[in-house]
Amino acid sequence: MSDVYPVPEAFAAQANVTAADYERDYAESVRDPDAFWGRIAQRLEWSRPPTRIRDVSFDREDFRIRWFADGELNASVNCLDRHLATRGDKTALIWEPDDPAAEPKHVSYRELHARVCKLANALRSLGVKKGDRVTIYLPMIVEAAVAMLACARVGAIHSVVFGGFAPNSIADRVADCGSKLIITADEGLRGGRKVPLKANVDAALKMPGTQSVETVLVVRHTGAAVDMQMPRDRWYDAVADGQPGECEPERMNAEDPLFILYTSGSTGKPKGVLHTTGGYLLYAAYTHEAVFDLREDDIYWCTADVGWVTGHSYIVYGPLANGATSLVFEGVPNYPDYSRFWNVVDRHKVTIFYTAPTAIRALMREGAEPVKKTSRASLRLLGSVGEPINPEAWRWYHEVVGDGRCPVVDTWWQTETGGILISPLPGAVDLKPGSATLPFFGVQPALVDAEGKLLEGAAEGNLVILDSWPGQMRTVHGDHQRFIDTYFKTYPGMYFTGDGCRRDEDGYYWITGRVDDVINVSGHRIGTAEVESALVSHPKVAEAAVVGFPHDIKGQGIYAYVTLVAGEVESDELLKELVAHVRKEIGPIASPDFLQWAPGLPKTRSGKIMRRILRKIAENAPDQLGDTSTLADPSVVESLVKNRRDA
Ligand code: ATP
Ligand code: MG
């Protein structure tokens, strides 16, 4: 039943990677990873080129993951200095402000280099040394990228905390990694609303466990008056502006940590994922070039926040290591109206656009008109990341946003993986809506059953990765045992992703949702993604979330939460119609036992549906919601609990 979108001929003719390249290089990459990655590693600038390439064992007795272990490099040199001779005047970052009436900014590679060096010198003058942790709590402004790269320049390990988090969450993350310094701003601005960033930091630093922080650097952004506590608090411009615009980079070993980043917390308490310098940077850069078919004159825009791994790998490190022009957007998709994304695309002539299904569904809910009144003629490639994209949303993205012209790369990966693992290469792989398609070079996905038996051919099971890739995380900060237990214990000798997946007869991978979310109805395993996509394919449904609940006869029943398209009215008839619709699309086994209207769904701050919370509501156990600190809008939960349908 799945349709195929072949690679457009014109696209294939100019692509970085063709179908023949993919086939040949993929085969080499898994047959001889040392030769393959040794060659790819030459795309970085090493102060000492690696002679050792891959040194990996997933065996619990002899566990190690090391890439390029004798190589030395600095990530900021690779993102900046290396480009100065040939791309000094090229725009590295375009900043699009929250307020569309305010002036966008263009920052050249030369200017970015100078700004990073100044801040790096300032950090050194404040006593920040190689290995120290620095927390970055900033809005989507140029200084966020500057701060990350300045840390990299002096060898400090950054921990970016999403600017939408509250004091509690900042304090947890600061305490977990023992930050010495925090870089924040007076205020953030999102959708016309002010976010009191500095005040949030002040509140966080009153909480226990945060006494490691010696200095808070404050960027003047909105110009609001904030409380400065001397000598702890310093204005960013006062310490950075007077510094020299050159700064000797710290020589880093490839395996020295680059950053710690906490996962988005869909499944529980966030984990402090640690990535290292050489493998991570290489993998982010190489995937960015191949998956987005990058060309020198592209204007590339990833709408993620730098607080998530997508922002790290595909706004900052990947694009800048490739000398690309990367757009940093301060705002939100629906401010001042639902045309904002497309107005920004037109304003800056964006060619590559990368966003999340949650945004696509939210825009789809408002219909085609806000899209169609913009041009979008500059676009040539679209991307998706973060959750399974429902085929309905995929088609809308392809047809309405891309006018049927632009391939859609559905990129599957995780904070833990550092970069994209499964995705089409747009000039090489035919697309199927809803499928992340095929593995990237060097990546060996496999499906296993509950006992860990490898499944062959077309099958459905738990997604594992059989061997390492350079961008793989190296540890959970401060808890190496948790790293091994979480990812290598369930299926010994394999990296367990936690996601369920189906592989079709063409070898294409379809993520079916998180393994913990799989519903077992009378012995049939049903992925949440499939039922949700069936619901979303109904013209009146904008978004749906499906969970299991204990059922006397079937073992588990299906409980669905449904958000309607703007302007549609909830009714008992529609409810019956939707149940019948799922029955028709998938079969009676998948028809929901209960369906609840949900004007909003509980989501992480990165926009992912938190099914574990919906499961507790369906089970009528609202007192067991677990860690809710990463919820974007806790009030959604209260209203769902109140309107729960009695199971
Ligand atoms: P936590 O690990 O704390 O529960 P999280 O898993 O949401 O949080 P991330 O690393 O941001 O944190 O998300 C990775 C997960 O997102 C993947 O494991 C997968 O479930 C989902 N995901 C990401 N991209 C895709 C995609 N293209 N298709 C399907 N699922 C995706
Ligand atoms: Mg996860």
Side-chain angles (χ1 to χ4, degrees), residues 263-271 309 384-389 410-416 436 497 499 511 513-514 604 606 608:
T263 56
S264 57
S266 306
T267 56
K269 188 172 178 294
K271 300 171 274 279
V309 73
S384 169
V385 61
E387 287 181 291
I389 177 164
D410 174 5
T411 64
W412 176 86
W413 59 296
Q414 310 177 299
T415 309
E416 295 88 333
T497 66
D499 285 346
I511 307 298
R514 296 168 195 272
T604 61
S606 58
K608 295 170 203 262

